[in-house]
Amino acid sequence: MADFSVAAMPAARPQNPNFSSGPCAKRPGFTLDALSGAALGRSHRAKGPKAKLAEVITLSKQILGMPEGWRLGIVPGSDTGAVEMALWSMLGARPVDVLAHESFSEAWATDVVKQLKLADARVIKADYGQLPDVAAIDFSHDVVLAWNGTTSGVRFPNGDFIPDDREGLVIADSTSAAFAMELPWGKLDVVTWSWQKVLGGEGGHGMLALSPRAVERLLTYKPAWPLPKIFRLTSGGKLSEGIFVGETINTPSMLCVEDALDGLRWAQGAGGLPGLIARSEGNLAAIAGWVDGNERVKFLAQRPETRSCTSICLVIAAPWFVKLDAEAQAKAAKAVAALLEKEKVALDAGAYRDAPPGLRIWGGATVETSDIRLLLPWIDYAIDAVSTEF
């Protein structure tokens, strides 16, 4: 039973209760009318539809401030497809260090060690809430990492640990970082993301950005294993340049393309990258101010400078909760998330299935800070209400 009085049920609810970490909330003011110009029923290879695909690439590069010489393509399979293309196409040329500190970076480690079976691969691990020891990285190796841990709410605060004169490539899964955080392009060689995160697009399409060094690897190295068509970035010893101007490997959804364009145009009107970062950081700041001094919750990220401003992960710290065993904690955390969903104040806000029990609140740029502020007292209420059941 609770050893403190239960907080009163708040009177106000968020305007938009969508706090899922993917697919994420649509941009403010979105309606289906925004998709009325979609090239439905058309070939994606026709002039008009291909121009829309090319515009997604151009606007993305402009908003992100991608350096000259980088190539950006739309690829199948969301961020997962983009990361897999990079791993299967480029690794094996030299030893590999994989940084694993949450579910998806753990998956990349599994790919490298158990699927590609690279004998000279090292996995540098950290528990949820922490970053791997960057001092242990050998940058004569290729390096694979997740810039922002979507399931842990932990991000790299900067790229200072990556040397400019590195020998290997740095492959950065940036799906919940792109458009919400400054990415140190000069420190990275492959950057991936998907449409359904910070700009609230629809799922299924990934973005693959390659530095000149990454392109050189593709042109000078041939993996020992066969590559399926959907992973091939070269043909006849040359880069498949069409991928980077809108000629996709497989058929994209032109409805999703129109939606991606809508999100990108909204991003321009929201102040471009600085404006998007400010919106995301504002959401983190609102939650941080509430967590400070709150006995019910704390951040999963153990160091403030590593707290994500998009996938904001919280653990329950109420005295009644920490006394429970692991099984009961998992049930209690799910009950808190279920109550928030029942009250229609936060949908899909439970922690990722492999993460410690708690909540995960998406704070990307499409989420209004006013909705974050209205959600927070509901979390207090839900934790207190669930305490009476344990």
Side-chain angles (χ1 to χ4, degrees), residues 78-80 82-84 86-87 99 101-108 143-150 154 156 170-178 181 183 188 190-194 197 207:
S78 193
D79 177 67
T80 300
V83 174
E84 298 280 13
L87 300 186
L99 279 57
H101 64 281
E102 48 83 58
S103 302
F104 291 102
S105 50
E106 285 274 9
W108 310 145
V143 177
V144 179
L145 57 84
W147 194 260
N148 181 87
T150 307
V154 177
F156 287 94
V170 176
I171 299 173
D173 170 1
S174 303
T175 191
S176 53
M181 306 172 194
L183 293 172
L188 308 175
V190 178
V191 177
T192 68
W193 67 91
S194 57
K197 294 295 186 182
M207 302 297 287

Side-chain angles (χ1 to χ4, degrees), residues 131-163:
L131 287 173
D133 178 12
V134 296
I137 303 171
D138 184 342
F139 283 98
S140 70
H141 299 179
D142 291 331
V143 177
V144 179
L145 57 84
W147 194 260
N148 181 87
T150 307
T151 65
S152 69
V154 177
R155 61 174 164 178
F156 287 94
N158 55 61
D160 294 350
F161 65 98
I162 303 173

